[in-house]
Amino acid sequence: MRAVFGRVWRQPVGRLGLLLVVAVLLLGVIGPPLAPYDPNKLNILARFGAPSTAHWLGTDHLGRDLFSRTADGGRVALLVALSTIAIALAVGTLLGIAAAYASPWGERAILVVFDIVSAFPTLVFALAVVALLGPGLDKVILIVAITLIPHFGRVARAQTLSLRNSPFLEAERVLGAQPWRITAHHLVPNILGPLVVLASMDIPVVITIEAGLSFLGVGVPPPRASWGTLLHDGYTTLSQSPWPVIVAAGMLTLATLGFTLFGEALRDAIDPKLRVEP
Amino acid sequence: MATLNRRQLLAAGAALGVAGTSFSLPVLAQSGRKSVTLALPRDVQPPFDPLNRLSFPEGNLLRVVLQGLIAFKPGSFEWELSAAKRIEQVSDTVIEFELKPGLRFHGGFGELTADDVKFSFERAIKPGADGKPVLYSTDFAALEEVEVTGTHSGRIRLKTPAPALWQVALPDISGLIISRKAYEAGAYRADQPTKVIGTGPYLLKEWRPNERVVLQANPEFQGPKPGFEEIILRPVRDSKTAELAFRADELQFTAIEPANAADIAKIPGAKILKQDSINFVWIGVNVEKPPFNDPRVRRAIRLAIDVDQVIEGAYNGAVGRAYGPVAPGLLGNWKDAPRHARDVAAAKKLLAEAGVPALRAKLTLLNKPAYQNAGIIVQAQLAEAGITLDLDVQEGGSFWSAGNGEAGKNLELSLQRFGGKADPSFQLQWFTASQIGSWNWQRWNSPEYDALFAKAGGVTDPAERARLYIEAQKLIDESAAFIWLTHEVNVYALKDWLTPGILPNGDDQLYNRFSPA
């Protein structure tokens, strides 16, 4: 692991990505407790404030502190991204492995489900779920996780198919190891590398989807902050103050850029064919 | 920027009307503009039937495809003759009319006759094919019958005097005349939405759902030629999107957020029209659903809300506060209505007495920025009184059906906005028991209110009518099921070459009076 991160750090692009990722993580994890104000505390008379010593990033259209809301929105973005990726990775990997080992009929059935889920537009799916269940953070996580499961499932299936007849797995089977033991102790660790790279590359995608859903009003319900709702609120009051849009768009840009650069560097560091040695 | 307050607007109504009329005369050839694109706040929804319309976007569409006996003048609630050559109230309960001869329904449905008037108006007092009354039956509640005295003449006979008929029915949407033959051939129904047969200045040429409505000048129309050969109505739900479309000249007229008026006024070739509105916005509480059926809980909610702060935050202080559904300047406005002030301690005490010190409630509201901001502010205010408020933000389609039928029983709090008309009977009709399950989302049922409302409708003395409507509003206030927020303000962005045709409530627009200035 240290060697992998060392290789990431040695790439200038990887270093920039890692620094941005660490900054976003710090903002999401320690930002809210350190924030000077309650992110939902209204102060109508102080609305549309420019950055100042009292409000480092200014205030929004209801006088709420933008730094506190940005930090809280960062926490929401990370919570959605990490929990979504964790669910999609776990379920997708299991289904992918199951597809690889299943009968042709079973494999076909799983792949058809993947195709159906992939073919369904995320936004339409989100609107349908919200109409049925109402808006909420848990619904956002559910929506995005379901749409990402085929992504991980297909990679897990392909990796499993390439390893299924490997000599070391054959040896385990000959020695009488149980299928679950072979899967847990030998198969999963060997297919996890590409899946982790995929997960790191998907984090910015998830952050963007969450922000997009929240921007459209079907994501995180008010008053909870999300970078998407900050952007939407700022957009509707752009002529009064540009700061909410600048802050929210800036955070989205830095977070997606950071996770993308970091993911690409991680991929290069793990894949020996793409490895860039200094 | 032109700014009118409500009183100036109503007082100057006639002058504006004259101005609007003069501008709407055929100046098309001079300007060379044949088409104009106007914003709709949402897409229209069938049926396009005057007595079963959903709301004002459908009404405005019908207003130019059909004709009534009389019609409003732009900028005022005064009326002028339309399909009628003559109309006269000959007694408290009889109105005589004579139609202009030769008015022809398009599509080959023949001449408009007194029999069509009888058919159109009496639909309001007869149950429809499904056995239910039409949606706007109360507009003609006093109607007994329409007596046909000739091909072009007739008498409207009333059960009781009905002064409101001259404001909310005859010159308005409910008073539009449809063709009996066309109706019997399936027109005006939801399953054939573009089959709207009329004698008005425009034809409904096309309706592409969620995209556009196209109105084309009716070549057979016998009145003043409309200002444009073609009017395109584009539904744009998001006000910011509408502003951007206006900047890009994709729209030549749109309602905008009041706070953005000064910025948009700087756009070359743009002008701003601002007028106080007579609409009303309020938070309603469902009085049937526990624990909101306890008046102490409703009073606690009202005490916990600081309306002035809501207005300041949600509307940037650009609108005035409302103290009832009838706006200042209108008959029946309750000048001495109580000014409920915020008292969090009293609210907590009432909740404790009601046995719900930690109340959880849901506020259903439309996904417009001002309403969402109002919801967030109310949420914060109620939290200080120990009330946890969940916001259920809905888009237009689902929101406007949230209070209907069985679904309405599950509503708790709702933030609503209704359009106003010149006569208070229009504003107050929604709170009668007959509207429960339709538009009375509070499900408030007061026989005393219904009796006052019915009695006021038959009184011809304006002072007595005003007194009765104020008495009715006192009952509304006692229920504590209504927290009045504002009458709003209407702000429009339009091109400087365009003269609009707008009624004082803002929602009602006369597309045939839009013209190139």
Side-chain angles (χ1 to χ4, degrees), chain A residues 42 47 61 223 235 239-240, chain B residues 240 259-260 312 316 373 379:
Chain A
L42 308 182
R47 64 182 184 269
H61 62 298
Y235 161 75
S239 56
Q240 278 88 45
Chain B
K240 193 70 187 176
N260 298 340
E312 187 65 32
N316 286 323
N373 292 337
Q379 186 181 48

Side-chain angles (χ1 to χ4, degrees), chain B residues 193-340:
Chain B
T194 55
K195 199 169 177 182
V196 187
I197 309 299
T199 57
Y202 282 97
L203 309 175
L204 176 55
K205 181 183 172 191
E206 180 185 30
W207 173 48
R208 288 191 198 169
N210 294 313
E211 196 177 324
R212 64 179 188 170
V213 177
V214 180
L215 299 169
Q216 188 179 41
N218 180 359
E220 295 181 55
F221 180 61
Q222 296 190 2
K225 189 176 176 184
F228 295 96
E229 280 186 11
E230 184 180 72
I231 292 180
I232 299 167
L233 308 171
R234 295 189 60 183
V236 189
R237 287 184 176 167
D238 179 54
S239 58
K240 193 70 187 176
T241 306
E243 287 176 21
L244 293 173
F246 179 78
R247 286 174 189 271
D249 203 24
E250 289 178 11
L251 292 172
Q252 283 85 53
F253 174 88
T254 180
I256 59 169
E257 294 290 329
N260 298 340
D263 192 44
I264 293 173
K266 294 174 190 161
I267 301 172
K271 63 180 177 183
I272 299 293
L273 177 66
K274 189 175 178 184
Q275 60 180 45
D276 284 348
S277 169
I278 57 172
N279 303 322
F280 48 116
V281 182
W282 77 100
I283 292 172
V285 186
N286 182 351
V287 301
E288 282 185 0
K289 187 167 185 189
F292 310 102
N293 57 346
D294 186 333
R296 291 171 297 186
V297 173
R298 302 198 294 268
R299 288 209 303 275
I301 292 171
R302 187 165 66 182
L303 281 167
I305 294 176
D306 181 344
V307 175
D308 292 325
Q309 195 184 44
V310 173
I311 288 171
E312 187 65 32
Y315 293 90
N316 286 323
V319 301
R321 179 175 172 177
Y323 298 99
V326 181
L330 297 180
L331 183 138
N333 169 250
W334 187 14
K335 279 189 296 188
D336 302 321
R339 273 57 175 161
H340 297 289

Side-chain angles (χ1 to χ4, degrees), chain A:
Chain A
M1 184 62 79
R2 184 178 292 178
V4 170
F5 272 93
R7 285 197 288 274
V8 169
W9 185 254
R10 281 196 290 277
Q11 300 176 55
V13 167
R15 200 177 306 146
L16 176 62
L18 188 57
L19 287 172
L20 287 173
V21 166
V22 169
V24 171
L25 287 172
L26 285 175
L27 180 73
V29 175
I30 65 169
L34 293 180
Y37 300 94
D38 176 346
N40 301 325
K41 176 77 178 170
L42 308 182
N43 185 358
I44 303 297
L45 296 178
R47 64 182 184 269
F48 301 126
S52 63
T53 51
H55 299 282
W56 304 334
L57 295 178
T59 57
D60 72 359
H61 62 298
L62 295 176
R64 295 172 293 192
D65 181 59
L66 268 179
F67 176 78
S68 306
R69 288 187 67 73
T70 304
D72 199 38
R75 174 170 282 191
V76 167
L78 287 176
L79 179 67
V80 172
L82 298 179
S83 49
T84 298
I85 296 287
I87 294 168
L89 180 63
V91 178
T93 304
L94 285 176
L95 286 175
I97 293 171
Y101 278 108
S103 62
W105 186 89
E107 182 184 21
R108 192 71 214 142
I110 293 172
L111 291 178
V112 166
V113 171
F114 284 173
D115 286 343
I116 291 170
V117 173
S118 301
F120 216 78
T122 305
L123 183 60
V124 175
F125 180 56
L127 289 171
V129 171
V130 169
L132 281 173
L133 306 175
L137 195 57
D138 50 345
K139 277 85 170 185
V140 175
I141 292 170
L142 175 76
I143 292 161
V144 185
I146 289 174
T147 57
L148 284 182
I149 285 172
H151 206 187
F152 291 99
R154 285 208 180 88
V155 173
R157 173 180 162 272
Q159 291 292 317
T160 306
L161 285 174
S162 70
L163 290 175
R164 191 172 58 177
N165 298 319
S166 302
F168 72 99
L169 293 182
E170 284 292 332
E172 283 290 320
R173 268 193 290 275
V174 169
L175 289 171
Q178 294 293 316
W180 67 265
R181 182 182 168 79
I182 296 172
T183 303
H185 287 267
H186 299 286
L187 184 61
V188 170
N190 278 286
I191 67 170
L192 207 54
L195 289 169
V196 168
V197 171
L198 190 63
S200 67
M201 303 278 278
D202 273 346
I203 287 176
V205 176
V206 175
I207 290 174
T208 312
I209 292 174
E210 181 275 310
L213 294 176
S214 296
F215 183 91
L216 294 171
V218 292
V220 180
R224 186 85 198 257
S226 149
W227 291 341
T229 52
L230 289 184
L231 196 58
H232 179 266
D233 293 343
Y235 161 75
T236 56
T237 55
L238 190 59
S239 56
Q240 278 88 45
S241 169
W243 292 107
V245 167
I246 291 171
V247 170
M251 284 312 303
L252 273 169
T253 305
L254 291 177
T256 51
L257 182 69
F259 278 106
T260 304
L261 295 179
F262 174 69
E264 286 179 353
L266 193 62
R267 179 197 60 197
D268 296 351
I270 286 177
D271 190 338
K273 291 178 208 159
L274 295 170
R275 190 176 298 165
V276 180
E277 293 296 346

Side-chain angles (χ1 to χ4, degrees), chain B residues 4-54:
Chain B
L4 297 172
N5 65 34
R6 184 178 301 107
R7 284 184 183 171
Q8 286 171 321
L9 189 83
L10 291 171
L16 281 170
V18 171
T21 308
S22 63
F23 277 123
S24 67
L25 293 175
V27 287
L28 187 62
Q30 300 163 21
S31 71
R33 298 182 196 277
K34 295 185 175 179
S35 177
V36 66
T37 305
L38 317 174
L40 285 176
R42 63 165 172 80
D43 195 18
V44 291
Q45 290 182 37
F48 301 138
D49 172 346
L51 291 170
N52 283 308
R53 67 193 188 270
L54 179 63

Side-chain angles (χ1 to χ4, degrees), chain B residues 130-251:
Chain B
D130 56 358
K132 293 180 183 173
V134 294
L135 209 56
Y136 286 82
S137 59
T138 49
D139 288 354
F140 277 105
L143 179 67
E144 185 176 11
E145 65 161 348
V146 177
E147 180 191 350
V148 176
T149 56
T151 307
H152 298 111
S153 60
R155 287 191 194 95
I156 300 168
R157 294 190 179 280
L158 307 175
K159 289 179 277 193
T160 57
L165 206 67
W166 292 95
Q167 284 295 334
V168 300
L170 295 178
D172 211 348
I173 318 295
S174 296
L176 295 172
I177 304 162
I178 64 172
S179 159
R180 181 196 286 267
K181 283 183 199 165
Y183 184 85
E184 288 167 355
Y188 318 107
R189 295 181 191 169
D191 56 346
Q192 299 190 72
T194 55
K195 199 169 177 182
V196 187
I197 309 299
T199 57
Y202 282 97
L203 309 175
L204 176 55
K205 181 183 172 191
E206 180 185 30
W207 173 48
R208 288 191 198 169
N210 294 313
E211 196 177 324
R212 64 179 188 170
V213 177
V214 180
L215 299 169
Q216 188 179 41
N218 180 359
E220 295 181 55
F221 180 61
Q222 296 190 2
K225 189 176 176 184
F228 295 96
E229 280 186 11
E230 184 180 72
I231 292 180
I232 299 167
L233 308 171
R234 295 189 60 183
V236 189
R237 287 184 176 167
D238 179 54
S239 58
K240 193 70 187 176
T241 306
E243 287 176 21
L244 293 173
F246 179 78
R247 286 174 189 271
D249 203 24
E250 289 178 11
L251 292 172

